[in-house]
Amino acid sequence: MEQNTTNTMQAVVCHAPKDYRLEQISKPVARANELVIRIGACGICASDCKCHSGAAMFWGGESPWVKAPVVPGHEFFGYVDSVGEGAEEHFGVKVGDKVIAEQIVPCEKCKFCKSGKYWMCEVHNIFGFQKDVAEGGMAQYMRIPKTAIVHHIPESVSLEDSALIEPMACSIHTVNRGDVQLDDVLVIAGAGTLGLCMVQVAALKTPKKLVVIDMVDERLELAKKFGADVVINPSRDNAKEIINGLTDGYGCDVYIETTGVPIGVTQGLDLIRKLGRFVEFSVFGAETSADWSIIGDRKELDVRGAHLGPYCYPIAIDLFERGLVTSEGIVTHDFGLDDYAEAFALADSTKSIKVLLKPVNG
């Protein structure tokens, strides 16, 4: 496909909650040590849907996370279209390379960045949420700032797999946070995109039992295909009874919460054993409450958060390249930018798992 030689491009632009528009905007220009990539595909994340609907965590308070107007999208990959002065040496890439940038753009100056914990950067610019700093992938092209973390993607990795690298990297980090052991009974709550990626990663860890909980039978069937030993639909199954039956009544060793709804938290506190490891990944649309005495006085739980996919992108890329994980069955739909509204509506439903936007580039 020929390079776009015009100065404009098509993009979805977020102006406010429920105010997203397809616009013709200026094509980004690479400055010193920067790249411009041509987008291959961009996934719609659950956080994108929550941002679209107006969840308080994105829009609330004196300093909202979203700096609109902004082009959304952080689950992208693309091809190097143009390079600024010094960028080829800076990133180790050349025009035409297939690449992905991690979703966070570290400031490289705060205490977390300087100590190697860049994913907790105090400034915390994420692609697709802050205008002019890190605009996102729901466009034909996007600029990659000089402090971004860029990785090569082998040509053998399919478009769908490439678009799932970001969720897979997050899933690897989350499962690693669970410190899964060979004799563990591991429960993953939620079989959406992230949950199903976590199932694949967790299966590679070969726990004693891998249990997946979700309300959608089709997703549970996919979880079994990916290595789940036991699946539970709480609308008809007694999760507590099943987990107790697998653990001599003690409860699961590790519980990973990726439902994004409050019941996923309270369910986990009930199902997990004393001294268990509870890993929280989800982005919630509202505050969640629980009886904290369970965490301390009753069970002395080890509660761990999981944020982004630090140091896990190369691992995700390698696992896709070796065929040890897959997007097959997870990527269910794709749309052009013209149909972004339909794509968002479908992504925010149980009728899809992962929905991709695939720009048509000139």
Side-chain angles (χ1 to χ4, degrees), residues 38-288:
R38 172 173 57 85
I39 297 298
C42 182
I44 301 177
C45 177
S47 62
D48 292 318
C49 293
K50 288 182 171 71
C51 182
H52 180 272
S53 65
M57 70 160 294
F58 296 102
W59 299 100
E62 295 181 1
S63 181
W65 192 15
V66 178
K67 304 296 191 296
V70 63
V71 176
H74 57 273
E75 295 183 359
F76 59 83
F77 83 94
Y79 303 86
V80 178
D81 181 74
S82 61
V83 296
E85 182 181 355
E88 289 185 323
E89 295 79 13
H90 179 67
F91 287 113
V93 302
K94 61 183 184 300
V95 171
D97 282 355
K98 184 179 179 182
V99 298
I100 188 169
E102 297 195 21
Q103 66 279 76
I104 192 166
V105 183
C107 73
E108 296 187 342
K109 297 178 181 179
C110 72
K111 67 180 293 183
F112 301 107
C113 288
K114 286 183 176 180
S115 63
K117 300 176 176 65
Y118 67 89
W119 70 101
M120 297 307 298
C121 172
E122 189 69 12
V123 179
H124 219 74
N125 288 319
I126 301 283
F127 283 112
F129 293 104
Q130 296 89 22
K131 179 168 176 59
D132 294 332
V133 179
E135 296 213 51
M138 297 185 190
Q140 290 178 293
Y141 298 85
M142 68 179 289
R143 179 176 62 88
I144 305 298
K146 64 181 180 181
T147 63
I149 303 171
V150 173
H151 303 281
H152 281 271
I153 304 174
E155 287 301 325
S156 60
V157 178
S158 71
L159 182 149
E160 290 77 14
D161 284 354
S162 297
L164 212 65
I165 290 170
E166 190 271 355
M168 190 63 72
C170 292
S171 299
I172 293 166
H173 179 56
T174 303
V175 172
N176 285 344
R177 290 285 285 159
D179 192 23
V180 178
Q181 302 298 309
L182 296 173
D183 59 347
D184 281 341
V185 173
L186 165 63
V187 174
I188 297 175
T193 297
L194 272 299
L196 290 168
C197 287
M198 290 175 197
V199 171
Q200 296 182 68
V201 175
L204 295 175
K205 299 276 190 178
T206 62
K208 182 179 180 180
K209 290 292 182 184
L210 175 53
V211 183
V212 179
I213 302 177
D214 199 272
M215 299 284 284
V216 181
D217 286 333
E218 292 78 8
R219 296 183 180 189
L220 293 175
E221 286 300 313
L222 197 52
K224 286 200 291 187
K225 178 181 176 182
F226 289 152
D229 299 300
V230 178
V231 295
I232 298 172
N233 186 327
S235 68
R236 62 169 181 271
D237 302 325
N238 187 322
K240 179 79 167 178
E241 185 177 287
I242 293 171
I243 297 301
N244 282 348
L246 295 171
T247 61
D248 295 325
Y250 286 100
C252 64
D253 302 283
V254 183
Y255 182 92
I256 296 176
E257 199 293 309
T258 184
T259 67
V261 295
I263 189 63
V265 176
T266 52
Q267 170 185 257
L269 294 176
D270 184 43
L271 296 180
I272 199 168
R273 66 164 168 83
K274 295 176 181 179
L275 302 175
R277 299 181 297 284
F278 187 115
V279 184
E280 180 55 65
F281 175 84
S282 293
V283 175
F284 290 86
E287 289 186 1
T288 299

